[in-house]
Amino acid sequence: LDGPTSVVFSDNDRTRYGGILRFRYDLPRGATGNDFENIAFTNLTYGQNKYDNLDFAQGQFNGADQDHDEDGFLAGFMTSYKGLNKESVGAGLKHLSFDDARLKDSNTTNIAADIAYNLTPKMTLNFDAMRDRDQDTGLAEGVITSNYGLGLDYELQHNLFGGISFGYGNYDFDTTGREDDDYLGSIYLKYLNNRHLESVLRLNYRNRESTDTDREFDRFEVLFSLVGKI
């Protein structure tokens, strides 16, 4: 194309404001002594989602307004044993309240699990699972997301870590019958530059299979990041 031309990937830019209030309580250890550490937790969440529906093709937006509030809670427990393994499991409810009367408010259950086990002093096996409801930015409909991951981390040498992970994700759209399955793989190297900075090099692969063939793809990503900590 000649001259400057705008390329629009989406006209549903979203701004989200929210917060999480966390409560934790150390459960009595009883006869287990110092071997087990058990903590009960409850997370209360609230958020507002605002969409800038610009609709470049028509010049003005006349579809359903996806602006909505969300609130919910996640409750569960965390436990660890002699520093060898750590588990966190929780379940809760989530409520979405839409500003547009054409969209029905919705309720859904959500779960989260994160398990880490030290196979050796330098090797850790990780498993995580999550189920939640989100809002698709391109369509006025909800989507139930389910994600599962299995990974292995290893300390290659002092301050240098490597790892590999595999994952599966399912995205079930409420109204159109569309369903996506994602298969993921990742390899990373992480170096701790100092106590406040770490460098990460990661290679990701994602394959998507969908009931809508136009949504299918294979994708490789090479990512380099610097993470600062205060």
Side-chain angles (χ1 to χ4, degrees), residues 27-197:
L27 299 174
R29 300 191 180 189
T32 61
N34 295 324
D35 292 345
F36 283 93
E37 181 181 14
N38 300 297
I39 299 173
F41 71 87
T42 300
N43 298 339
L44 304 178
T45 61
Y46 176 77
Q48 292 184 337
N49 295 266
K50 302 298 181 183
Y51 291 81
D52 296 327
N53 297 297
L54 304 179
D55 199 353
F56 287 89
Q58 303 297 326
Q60 60 182 1
F61 180 78
N62 56 9
D65 186 354
Q66 299 180 60
D67 290 357
H68 65 276
D69 297 342
E70 61 182 61
D71 57 82
F73 75 91
L74 182 73
F77 70 93
M78 298 179 289
T79 184
S80 64
Y81 175 70
K82 291 184 176 181
L84 296 177
N85 63 302
K86 296 180 181 179
E87 296 89 20
S88 175
V89 180
L93 295 174
K94 187 176 183 179
H95 174 71
L96 301 182
S97 177
F98 293 91
D99 295 351
D100 195 319
R102 291 173 290 179
L103 299 178
K104 293 177 59 177
D105 294 349
S106 63
N107 297 283
T108 187
T109 57
N110 55 344
I111 61 171
D114 190 359
I115 300 173
Y117 183 79
N118 292 343
L119 300 175
T120 71
K122 292 189 175 184
M123 183 182 297
T124 303
L125 180 67
N126 302 285
F127 171 77
D128 60 85
M130 183 275 293
R131 181 183 185 272
D132 201 355
R133 175 184 289 271
D134 201 356
Q135 196 64 21
D136 185 86
T137 58
L139 301 168
E141 64 171 328
V143 53
I144 297 176
T145 64
S146 303
N147 292 281
Y148 308 92
L150 183 67
L152 192 67
D153 300 322
Y154 187 79
E155 185 178 2
L156 300 172
Q157 58 182 352
H158 182 62
N159 289 341
L160 180 63
F161 298 82
I164 185 170
S165 63
F166 302 94
Y168 167 74
N170 176 265
Y171 305 89
D172 187 5
F173 293 81
D174 287 347
T175 58
T176 62
R178 171 185 159 194
E179 187 172 357
D180 298 346
D181 293 303
D182 283 8
Y183 302 91
L184 308 98
S186 181
I187 300 175
Y188 83 91
L189 285 174
K190 178 172 68 175
Y191 181 72
L192 304 181
N193 304 75
N194 54 56
R195 59 182 299 183
H196 299 295
L197 183 67

Side-chain angles (χ1 to χ4, degrees), residues 9-29:
F9 294 98
S10 173
D11 63 354
N12 288 312
D13 295 336
R14 176 175 61 174
T15 302
R16 184 180 189 277
Y17 305 93
I20 301 176
L21 187 61
R22 305 181 190 272
F23 299 91
R24 295 179 48 167
Y25 179 73
D26 289 348
L27 299 174
R29 300 191 180 189

